[in-house]
Amino acid sequence: MIFIGITGGIGAGKSEIISYIEKHYNAASLIADDIAKKLIQKNMDLYYKIVEEFGNIILDSEGNIDKKILAKIIFSDNKLRLKINSFIHPSVKKEVIKQYEKYKKENKIDFLFVEAALLIEDNYDKICDEIWYIYVSKENRRKRLKESRHYSDEKIDRIFASQLSEEEFKKSSDVFINNDIDIVNTYRQIDREILRVKHLEEMNG
């Protein structure tokens, strides 16, 4: 089983690419955001840690963490963003490793993908066989975020500022996927890289 990390800035189309891979190959995926959502549910250890740090202001009427309120707080204050990341990301990575070991032991899939914006910052290159960077220009990512999520320019600017630059993503990744042209072109690139990796694995026994 080959373990590949998928990363890139917000709005780069990582989820769509993961969906394509799962439909066309014997593959499974781990989505960091989905894992984080489960880990901060009420009565989880991480839930109490976050509430203790930020207070009841981040809770909704049912006592659950309101992710929109939390996001608004952390993206307006870099120190708070780093603080919450120091809580959430180690827990997410621990769960990713746990799931990786499970899939590896079962030996039923050819590829396992993990998708997260902070793969590079969290040193996933130490556990992944390769890191793939999904590239889309800032202009097109901004357009997508406005159309699909109705984000304001101010919110987009704050998120962009909190993420790695294109140069940093490229420098730390093994594969560059250009998703800035059209999705058919992107799928061709994915197919090519999948075949390359499979060939390498076969050569290595």
Side-chain angles (χ1 to χ4, degrees):
M1 185 186 77
I2 303 164
F3 190 28
I4 295 172
I6 296 273
T7 193
I10 186 171
K14 299 183 291 295
S15 297
E16 189 172 7
I17 286 169
I18 287 286
S19 177
Y20 171 80
I21 291 169
E22 289 189 316
K23 285 178 184 175
H24 293 84
Y25 296 96
N26 181 27
S29 66
L30 303 171
I31 311 301
D33 282 349
D34 292 343
I35 293 173
K37 286 173 187 175
K38 291 178 182 178
L39 292 176
I40 66 170
Q41 287 178 351
K42 198 188 293 186
N43 298 325
M44 299 291 281
D45 290 343
L46 198 54
Y47 168 91
Y48 292 111
K49 197 171 184 178
I50 293 171
V51 172
E52 183 181 355
E53 179 66 30
F54 291 92
N56 292 341
I57 192 173
I58 63 168
L59 301 179
D60 62 20
S61 59
E62 296 179 354
N64 299 304
I65 292 175
D66 188 316
K67 290 177 282 293
K68 287 185 178 179
I69 293 175
L70 186 60
K72 188 174 181 179
I73 291 171
I74 64 177
F75 280 114
S76 63
D77 189 317
N78 193 50
K79 286 184 179 179
L80 291 178
R81 181 177 62 82
L82 294 174
K83 185 87 170 179
I84 194 73
N85 283 350
S86 73
F87 291 165
I88 295 176
H89 294 297
S91 298
V92 169
K93 190 174 183 181
K94 185 178 179 181
E95 181 63 23
V96 166
I97 293 171
K98 179 182 174 183
Q99 291 295 321
Y100 164 72
E101 295 293 348
K102 173 177 166 285
Y103 278 111
K104 191 175 180 181
K105 186 177 180 181
E106 291 173 348
N107 197 30
K108 292 180 180 178
I109 59 172
D110 298 324
F111 301 93
L112 178 63
F113 286 81
V114 56
E115 184 264 291
L118 299 179
L119 284 185
I120 292 167
E121 297 94 318
D122 286 343
N123 299 309
Y124 275 78
D125 59 310
K126 301 291 191 298
I127 58 174
C128 291
D129 295 305
E130 291 188 353
I131 301 292
W132 292 8
Y133 166 49
I134 312 303
Y135 165 78
V136 172
S137 67
K138 277 191 173 182
E139 292 76 17
N140 282 335
R141 287 194 286 133
R142 184 181 295 274
K143 183 180 177 183
R144 290 180 187 180
L145 291 169
K146 283 184 172 182
E147 291 175 354
S148 64
R149 306 190 197 183
H150 309 293
Y151 283 3
S152 66
D153 280 314
E154 184 184 8
K155 182 171 184 176
I156 293 169
D157 287 340
R158 287 199 304 267
I159 296 172
F160 281 0
S162 73
Q163 297 186 332
L164 294 180
S165 67
E166 180 189 334
E167 290 73 24
E168 288 170 312
F169 272 121
K170 281 183 178 179
K171 183 178 67 177
S172 303
S173 301
D174 302 293
V175 171
F176 175 89
I177 302 291
N178 188 344
N179 193 28
D180 203 40
I181 304 170
D182 63 71
I183 198 64
V184 174
N185 180 275
T186 301
Y187 291 159
R188 288 198 196 103
Q189 294 173 70
I190 295 295
D191 293 339
R192 185 177 65 238
E193 295 302 334
I194 291 278
L195 288 173
R196 176 189 59 80
V197 173
K198 284 183 75 172
H199 181 63
L200 280 176
E201 187 184 41
E202 288 167 2
M203 286 180 62
N204 293 329

